[in-house]
Amino acid sequence: MTTREAPTTAPVLHAKGLVKRYGNVTALNGADFELYPGEILAVIGDNGAGKSTLIKCISGAEIPDSGTIWLEGKEVLFKNPLEARAAGIEAVYQTLAVAPSLDIASNLFLGRERRRSGFAGSVLRMLDVGAMNDHARNRMTDLGIMTIQNMAQPVETLSGGQRQGVAVARAAAFESRVVIMDEPTAALGVKESARVLNLIRTLRDRGLPIILISHDMPHVFEVADRIHIQRLGRRGAIVTPESHTMSEAVAIMTGATQVDEHGAHDLP
Amino acid sequence: MDNTRPGATETIEPPGPPEEDTSRMTTLQRIQHALHTRATLGPAIVLLLSVIVFSIVADNFLEPRNLSLIIQQVMVIGTLAIGQTIIILTAGIDLSVGAIMVLSSIVMAKLSADAGVPGLLALLLGFVVGLLCGLVNGLLVTRIKLPPFIVTLGTLNIFFALNLFYSQSETVRGRDMASLLLWTGNAFELGGARVTYGAILMLLLFALMAFVLRWTMWGRHVYATGDDREAARLSGIRTDRVLLSVYVVAGLIYAIGAWILIGRIASASPQAGITYNLDTITAVVIGGTSLFGGRGRIIGTLFGALIVGVFRNGLQLAGIDELWQNFAVGVLVLAAVAIDQWIRRARA
């Protein structure tokens, strides 16, 4: 089960001294990062603080100029998102990356379809539609997203929250070790946001660590175990919803409150 | 799993308009829903209605001989439209259909008639030409990243010029060719109908493509790539490879269309098939496949090709001037695209 206190175990995902420059712009200037097992780590930061560049480096969408990333203690270098995904780092993009006219089961298995056994699967590359539908149904029920009765329903007929559910279920479905969620509630109403946040907690309670990128401070403070505040290309501070209030966190984020990188707050 | 936790069993609410509960929809919404879930329903109804109408207005329409004639009239366009469909499913378009077909047919015919190459080898080399033309289109689309419309507009002229160069603008007569090349025009009698092997070949190709699109990984990836290319890429689909394969397969299908054309007209003419580009797009669009990609069924294209054939044949039998055939086809295209937009609007 989850510990809400400062973790004592080894981090699942760990980065040190990440630097990424785009021409004259330094997006990351020696950023550090740790994600511990079974926690929801929120990453917040002002525009241009390097928040999305940090996530891109972790998810393989960008290659850092220098710095090191470790996944479960092993040094990794991802050249593209597929490599990161193969290693167990799943990202749920803001655009959700679903194919709207395909059905739910097809979307859950998009890009890693199950094939039939034997000749039909290996040579004809035929899909095992039945098995994929069954797995999709189990997965969706398991995560409590199961008012969707029909796995053959096209994703475009679903509501925003349900689509998010499909995208999350997909990210959590394939023995993933880390799930990165980019603004999962940005496009949703109050009720649907609450359900998606619940879904995030459900995943966390199953032991899956989650990186949550969000601008929505109430949502961050509602679900996060720890909050990584990115500022000026590096980690400004790490706070928890218990140790700091929302306005204190925002003050650190915007630079209104200066924090010593090694001193104040819960910096390791 | 932890079922006692409040919220863990909570479910995300059902979609806004209740999709499964059709009883609460208006009639119009129900029609829209039905058309949306079954993409080929519209074309199937139109085909059925047009057959009923023309069997009333034209006496000879329903005779087996006339029905088999319609199939023969659409077998080339229908075959080519299979290739056009898979390209349009990826949100592309192919304007070089006719040019690839003509070039392939001229290569097959001249190799056999002039160079004395055995029929089977000439046929296979013709297929290779179609395949290579498709490969050129595919490479330009995926490597140079040009829009398919521009790529195929360019290659249309290039392939057509090559065809004129190689054929020296001369028609190759059927009697000079190996009989294998003309086989697609051979027929057997079936209950008064004259069934050509070309028509059988077309129907087999439709069945094969329907199977592949529905049941294989490749088919799934074609749809996903056309639906949202970036989403497909992020999901781990090599969309460039999918696109390239689609153009190559389409090129091969056009070459098979070339074979069927030789059988149909018992010759190979460098001027044949000039209008086929737009005719294939017409069949695909009337068949309910969306020009925006990712949506449509290959069987719809068969219906689309048959609808055009039925209209042209029926209007002709009814003694109506040919210009009204074109008028009718134009109305069908506009209606099909308008319906597609209407269905999409409801779901957006």
Side-chain angles (χ1 to χ4, degrees):
Chain A
M1 256 331 275
T2 329
T3 62
R4 301 244 168 189
E5 290 76 44
T8 49
T9 44
V12 185
L13 192 64
H14 181 192
K16 214 160 175 56
L18 294 181
V19 175
K20 179 74 190 174
R21 296 191 186 87
Y22 301 97
N24 287 329
V25 181
T26 303
L28 286 184
N29 187 17
D32 298 339
F33 178 87
E34 286 111 29
L35 174 72
Y36 289 92
E39 72 168 349
I40 298 173
L41 175 73
V43 176
I44 63 174
D46 220 344
N47 291 337
K51 183 178 47 166
S52 58
T53 311
L54 173 69
I55 294 309
K56 280 178 180 167
C57 288
I58 290 167
S59 66
E62 297 277 3
I63 303 170
D65 298 330
S66 68
T68 317
I69 303 171
W70 294 268
L71 178 65
E72 293 177 338
K74 250 175 63 187
E75 191 176 329
V76 287
L77 178 65
F78 303 125
K79 289 194 281 294
N80 57 53
L82 294 187
E83 287 188 13
R85 207 169 78 161
I89 300 180
E90 288 279 346
V92 178
Y93 301 92
Q94 209 172 343
T95 53
L96 296 184
V98 291
S101 77
L102 291 183
D103 60 57
I104 296 166
S106 302
N107 265 291
L108 275 183
F109 284 89
L110 198 60
R112 42 193 158 189
E113 288 82 358
R114 294 269 167 100
R115 279 189 264 159
R116 294 212 191 171
S117 54
F119 178 81
S122 56
V123 180
L124 301 180
R125 292 165 64 81
M126 275 181 71
L127 299 166
D128 195 343
V129 174
M132 288 198 288
N133 281 341
D134 288 348
H135 272 89
R137 191 173 299 109
N138 290 341
R139 194 68 211 170
M140 300 295 272
T141 315
D142 197 29
L143 290 175
I145 322 175
M146 205 42 210
T147 42
I148 305 168
Q149 305 294 324
N150 183 1
M151 288 298 123
Q153 210 174 324
V155 165
E156 66 194 340
T157 63
L158 303 179
S159 68
Q162 287 178 320
R163 287 188 204 197
Q164 190 79 48
V166 171
V168 173
R170 180 171 66 174
F174 295 92
E175 299 180 5
S176 45
R177 299 196 164 102
V178 173
V179 173
I180 302 170
M181 304 194 65
D182 189 8
E183 301 280 1
T185 56
L188 301 181
V190 178
K191 243 171 116 184
E192 292 212 304
S193 291
R195 291 174 205 271
V196 168
L197 293 179
N198 261 331
L199 182 57
I200 295 174
R201 280 197 206 98
T202 306
L203 290 179
R204 187 265 318 272
D205 293 348
R206 310 266 180 89
L208 189 60
I210 289 166
I211 304 170
L212 170 69
I213 303 148
S214 183
H215 272 108
D216 192 312
M217 287 304 143
H219 288 170
V220 165
F221 273 74
E222 196 186 325
V223 295
D225 297 309
R226 297 189 309 138
I227 301 168
H228 168 127
I229 304 177
Q230 186 74 12
R231 172 153 175 76
L232 301 175
R234 39 202 322 163
R235 181 165 63 187
I238 286 185
V239 302
T240 67
E242 290 78 30
S243 70
H244 288 69
T245 65
M246 242 180 263
S247 43
E248 284 168 342
V250 172
I252 296 170
M253 194 173 103
T254 56
T257 303
Q258 297 289 330
V259 287
D260 177 358
E261 199 187 344
H262 303 289
H265 312 297
D266 304 69
L267 264 177
Chain B
M1 106 159 236
D2 181 354
N3 267 327
T4 54
R5 219 175 140 271
T9 53
E10 202 177 336
T11 51
I12 289 181
E13 62 188 309
E19 301 302 330
E20 301 308 319
D21 182 14
T22 45
S23 62
R24 279 166 61 188
M25 294 178 172
T26 65
T27 313
L28 202 62
Q29 277 172 332
R30 225 170 289 163
I31 293 170
Q32 202 172 14
H33 176 79
L35 289 176
H36 186 257
T37 44
R38 280 174 287 273
T40 50
L41 192 61
I45 291 171
V46 172
L47 180 60
L48 193 68
L49 286 180
S50 54
V51 166
I52 292 171
V53 169
F54 285 119
S55 61
I56 295 167
V57 287
D59 294 340
N60 315 330
F61 183 81
L62 269 187
E63 280 177 17
R65 203 158 191 91
N66 187 54
L67 293 181
S68 62
L69 178 67
I70 293 175
I71 307 244
Q72 284 173 50
Q73 284 166 340
V74 302
M75 68 185 181
V76 178
I77 293 295
T79 305
L80 299 177
I82 297 171
Q84 185 73 267
T85 306
I86 57 175
I87 288 178
I88 289 181
L89 277 178
T90 65
I93 193 114
D94 192 346
L95 301 179
S96 65
V97 177
I100 294 178
M101 180 201 63
V102 173
L103 181 60
S104 305
S105 75
I106 286 294
V107 168
M108 287 174 195
K110 276 188 76 82
L111 282 179
S112 173
D114 297 357
V117 173
L120 183 62
L121 188 59
L123 182 66
L124 292 178
L125 287 172
F127 288 172
V128 170
V129 168
L131 214 128
L132 288 176
C133 290
L135 183 67
V136 169
N137 281 341
L139 286 174
L140 288 168
V141 167
T142 55
R143 297 293 157 83
I144 319 283
K145 313 247 181 251
L146 297 174
F149 182 91
I150 300 299
V151 166
T152 55
L153 184 62
T155 54
L156 150 69
N157 291 294
I158 293 169
F159 297 150
F160 195 69
L162 289 176
N163 148 60
L164 291 181
F165 168 76
Y166 184 61
S167 67
Q168 297 169 319
S169 302
E170 283 171 15
T171 299
V172 184
R173 287 174 305 183
R175 64 166 179 239
D176 298 334
M177 300 177 209
S179 60
L180 176 66
L181 294 185
L182 299 159
W183 176 81
T184 51
N186 295 351
F188 57 90
E189 291 284 330
L190 187 75
R194 194 171 165 274
V195 184
T196 60
Y197 294 110
I200 303 277
L201 187 57
M202 174 191 78
L203 292 175
L204 286 178
L205 278 175
F206 267 107
L208 179 67
M209 188 54 80
F211 172 84
V212 167
L213 283 178
R214 177 77 183 82
W215 295 106
T216 69
M217 288 192 39
W218 184 79
R220 195 59 57 89
H221 292 176
V222 168
Y223 276 99
T225 302
D227 209 357
D228 187 332
R229 192 166 165 195
E230 184 61 13
R233 200 184 59 80
L234 288 172
S235 305
I237 295 170
R238 297 187 170 172
T239 54
D240 273 0
R241 206 181 273 189
V242 172
L243 281 180
L244 186 64
S245 68
V246 162
Y247 282 89
V248 170
V249 169
L252 177 62
I253 291 170
Y254 302 153
I256 298 174
W259 186 24
I260 298 177
L261 176 78
I262 293 176
R264 167 103 185 105
I265 63 177
S267 64
S269 162
Q271 302 294 342
I274 306 286
T275 62
Y276 285 9
N277 295 326
L278 297 180
D279 289 348
T280 56
I281 296 170
T282 303
V284 174
V285 167
I286 291 178
T289 294
S290 169
L291 288 171
F292 300 98
R295 200 176 312 260
R297 294 275 175 268
I298 194 77
I299 297 307
T301 299
L302 177 60
F303 291 154
L306 288 174
I307 288 168
V308 174
V310 164
F311 263 76
R312 288 196 182 281
N313 176 281
L315 289 171
Q316 198 174 6
L317 284 185
I320 292 165
D321 195 316
E322 193 181 330
L323 68 94
W324 295 112
Q325 297 176 22
N326 293 332
F327 186 92
V329 171
V331 171
L332 281 175
V333 169
L334 292 177
V337 177
I339 289 171
D340 176 49
Q341 296 277 26
W342 177 57
I343 296 167
R344 290 165 63 84
R345 206 175 306 134
R347 297 289 157 245

